[in-house]
Amino acid sequence: MSVYKNFELQIHQLGDNLYLAKVVDSPSLNGNEPVSVRFQLPFKRDEIKRFTDMLSGERPVKRTTGQKLARDFGESLFRAIFAGDVGRAYAESRVIARNHRWCLRLRLNLSRAGDIAILPWELLRDPEVDYLVLDSDTAFVRHIQRLVNVDRLNTQPPLRILVMISAPENLPKVDEAAERENLEAAVKDLPRVEITYLENASLRSLRKILLEKDFDVFHYIGHSDYNPETGVGTLALEDPFEHRFAIPISGEALARELYDERGIRLVVLNSCEGAQQDSRDPFSGIASSMVQRGIPAVVAQQFEVSDRAAIEFSKAFYESLAAGSSIEAAVWQGRRAVANTLNNMEWVSPVLFLHDHDTRSIFEISRRPSVGEMLRDRAYQIITVVSVLVTLGLLAVVFGFSRPREDVEAIAPPTATPLPVVDLVISNISLEPRNPQPGTEAAVLIDIENRGSDPAPPFTYEWQPSIFSDFKISRRVEGLAPGGILRDSLPVRFGWWGTFISEGRVDVDNEIVELSEQNNRLNPVRTNTRLPFEIHFDERLPDGTQIQQNMVLPPEVFRAWGFDVTAESDDPACVNVVPWLKFVGISWVALGTGLPDNPDACASADLVITFLERQDNNPSGVSALNVTTAPDGGRYTVETFQQSGELLESITSPNHPVDGATLMTTPDIARFTKVFRVRIRAEENPTLVTDLTLFAP
């Protein structure tokens, strides 16, 4: 097996089209300070767009033209980055690696690369060598610093692959039979590979089979998507009930399931856009977020590939992996197989994401010895044991005759300190009421047990109303006696309609060594009614905050309920206006506006409510809404807009309503086109909104 030495290259965005390339680890540095060079992109943004469209197939070009463009792109990018001290460090490292018969692992760290993180970096080409990803002396990986530490696993052959083919009926058809045929064609001649197909492509089915059997590789075939606006990449799994509808699952959510089963070392994503990530947040992509959450390695496609390319890559990749090669070598073998067999650029598409592991392989596949080898080893063992016994006997005779007997103090053998036997289990999660109406106060009842024989040290548990939302409630527990049960109640106001898969997790920071990590989470399904969602601003905020004085509205606090609130003004003096929560009278709280340090300045600015695009299977937007203003608030105008920004409706309240006004939009207007944005404008007095009623889409 090849020995790898790291050449870690970090890319930092410094400003508009100005970047820094820094070498922080390489054989040439030998413990010295990092070296760096500043560079600019050697091509314009529209040129990058045309080039990536060519690689993705959206802009067809002649084969020879595409190959020339790829070569020019890769060499231009290489010359820009590998210049000055960086170029010298790279050249010296190649010489050192060659002299020691090492392979150079070029680890590309793009966590601070900004908007160029999404470039097809696999096209980097040394004009004097080759494309770096095709060079036999170079391993090219996307380097991800992980949040969770994992240990290697010694794997006995065969290499066990769990395959999930997701084909929900409400998405473009996936030819399951053809996909199975392609994958089986890739591994049919590999006796050291074993494939198991997951019948139902849902998280529930995945969790069940992982509890029943161990696997080394998780191979996904299906649809994936990447939203550049939200920066979230999702895989389209099937709903756990009828298996007909798509349930978008983030890479992080899937990683939680796979990471719990310590046998999964590798995830392979055969889905378009699986390797794409946000230039603002490199960990938001499916593949990179999985590695960050603890999966040691992920191979994904940054562009859609043909069936032929998928077969050639998979066959060479799994054959190399089953033979005990490193993951870097297996990807190189797969890429070279595509390059040698198909006269196109599809070898660019595979992307290897790795955590910060050492030079050892992610898999240590133990080769089963032959019968002759076993007999030979057994003979060696017998000879060794006999030799030791004879030697000890001779020593005993010699020392018995040469030394007088005397009492000696016996020295006790060393003993190991046993680990505490702790097993934290979330045994039950229930809701009271069972299916709370939108906006109502509810209680999440959670039972946590310690089924071990030793006390559990302090730990943290949390509950997430929906696995598709970042909103969660956490609590710290100071410990739990053996056999003890903690019954806790978490107050929460549910904030949307539809069906959700929630999640409870215990020991979320992996602070405790337990008998089992597989029972640390539970996923109950909750369903809300389609009744209106009434929001009263004098009640608690979604995060549980009780308003006790005038305060700036916390940014994005209402995202837990599916919308954002901002403030806007055409007045140059009010460009920094923000939403405020203000007391009206003794205990009445209203949503208003003001400057960050002065609630009375810019108090008549507009309030803007933007409904977020949902990441689950429930509809986005609202069908209608009611806006209630504070008493004696003057005249108000409420404008609603559809997702495209086109005005749907404009309604105005009567003049000077003494008791406040409730402006009601017309549900029929948004019957087919939902409301995604609302502007609330006070025409005379300060903007003050006391209540908001939302109607389900």
Side-chain angles (χ1 to χ4, degrees), residues 64 203 409 425 592 621 636 686:
T64 54
L203 278 183
E409 182 180 358
V425 180
Y636 281 81

Side-chain angles (χ1 to χ4, degrees), residues 11-292:
I11 306 296
H12 299 253
Q13 185 176 32
L14 301 179
D16 186 23
N17 200 33
L18 181 61
Y19 304 90
L20 178 74
K22 178 189 292 187
V23 180
V24 297
D25 184 19
S26 78
S28 64
L29 289 182
N30 195 25
N32 295 325
E33 291 296 318
V35 296
S36 62
V37 64
R38 296 191 178 197
F39 69 95
Q40 292 182 325
L41 285 184
F43 15 70
K44 298 178 181 178
R45 304 290 170 167
D46 56 344
E47 294 175 335
I48 298 175
K49 178 66 166 60
R50 288 196 298 270
F51 185 73
T52 54
D53 287 348
M54 179 200 75
L55 292 174
S56 64
E58 296 182 18
R59 178 187 291 269
V61 297
K62 292 182 180 180
R63 180 175 299 169
T64 54
T65 302
Q67 291 174 343
K68 183 180 185 306
L69 289 174
R71 185 186 185 101
D72 293 343
F73 179 93
E75 291 185 359
S76 297
L77 188 59
F78 181 88
R79 290 191 182 97
I81 296 174
F82 290 86
D85 292 339
V86 171
R88 283 188 287 273
Y90 167 74
E92 293 173 6
S93 296
R94 284 188 63 88
V95 172
I96 295 172
R98 189 182 305 113
N99 292 339
H100 288 80
R101 299 184 182 275
W102 297 334
C103 284
L104 202 62
R105 181 194 288 118
L106 199 158
R107 304 202 309 182
L108 189 62
N109 189 326
L110 302 171
S111 59
R112 298 180 182 178
D115 56 358
I116 65 171
I118 58 176
L119 289 178
W121 293 92
E122 282 65 25
L123 280 172
L124 273 171
R125 190 178 194 280
D126 184 345
E128 299 181 1
V129 182
D130 196 355
Y131 293 101
L132 299 185
V133 296
L134 298 180
D135 178 26
S136 59
D137 294 330
T138 304
F140 189 92
V141 303
R142 306 275 187 109
H143 172 50
I144 304 295
Q145 291 179 328
R146 59 189 173 184
L147 298 177
V148 183
N149 291 325
V150 293
D151 297 324
R152 286 181 305 139
L153 186 70
N154 189 284
T155 303
Q156 293 285 348
L159 188 70
R160 297 152 301 177
I161 305 173
L162 175 62
V163 180
M164 173 188 281
I165 303 178
S166 181
E169 296 179 9
N170 63 335
L171 289 181
K173 181 175 176 57
V174 174
D175 193 338
E176 296 183 67
E179 293 292 352
R180 286 196 183 207
E181 184 179 345
N182 289 343
L183 188 56
E184 288 168 2
V187 301
K188 66 179 181 179
D189 298 325
L190 307 180
R192 296 159 64 85
V193 174
E194 177 184 284
I195 293 182
T196 300
Y197 291 97
L198 188 62
E199 293 303 322
N200 298 320
S202 68
L203 278 183
R204 176 181 293 179
S205 300
L206 176 63
R207 183 180 302 112
K208 183 175 184 296
I209 196 170
L210 289 176
L211 291 174
E212 296 172 350
K213 189 176 180 181
D214 292 331
F215 295 94
D216 306 308
V217 181
F218 175 74
H219 190 116
Y220 172 84
I221 300 174
H223 294 285
S224 65
D225 189 26
Y226 172 74
N227 188 329
E229 295 183 0
T230 61
V232 175
T234 56
L235 297 172
L237 270 58
E238 298 171 1
D239 73 271
F241 306 105
E242 300 180 6
H243 313 293
R244 297 174 54 195
F245 303 105
I247 296 290
I249 300 294
S250 67
E252 183 179 17
L254 183 58
R256 293 192 193 106
E257 300 300 329
L258 299 177
Y259 171 67
D260 278 349
E261 306 309 318
R262 299 306 176 93
I264 298 293
R265 304 283 88 192
L266 167 67
V267 173
V268 178
L269 302 176
N270 271 0
S271 60
C272 62
E273 299 190 1
Q276 290 196 13
Q277 56 191 36
D278 189 357
S279 61
R280 297 162 297 173
D281 180 7
F283 294 145
S284 62
I286 300 169
S288 54
S289 65
M290 295 180 86
V291 175
Q292 190 196 27

Side-chain angles (χ1 to χ4, degrees), residues 546-615:
Q546 179 69 57
I547 299 93
Q548 298 179 344
Q549 60 183 0
N550 290 353
M551 58 180 287
V552 174
L553 184 71
E556 302 179 350
V557 68
F558 286 116
R559 288 209 161 193
W561 291 350
F563 62 90
D564 275 339
V565 178
T566 56
E568 296 180 359
S569 176
D570 296 330
D571 187 347
C574 299
V575 292
N576 296 323
V577 65
V578 294
W580 273 77
L581 291 169
K582 303 178 181 181
F583 274 85
V584 181
I586 298 177
S587 60
W588 209 346
V589 178
L591 182 64
T593 64
L595 292 181
D597 56 353
N598 186 356
D600 297 324
C602 302
S604 298
D606 298 345
L607 283 170
V608 177
I609 300 172
T610 303
F611 297 101
L612 307 175
E613 187 173 353
R614 301 179 64 82
Q615 296 298 320

Side-chain angles (χ1 to χ4, degrees), residues 64 210 249 268 310 371 446 452 468 653 663:
T64 54
L210 289 176
I249 300 294
V268 178
V371 174
I446 298 183
F468 306 106
S653 66
L663 290 82

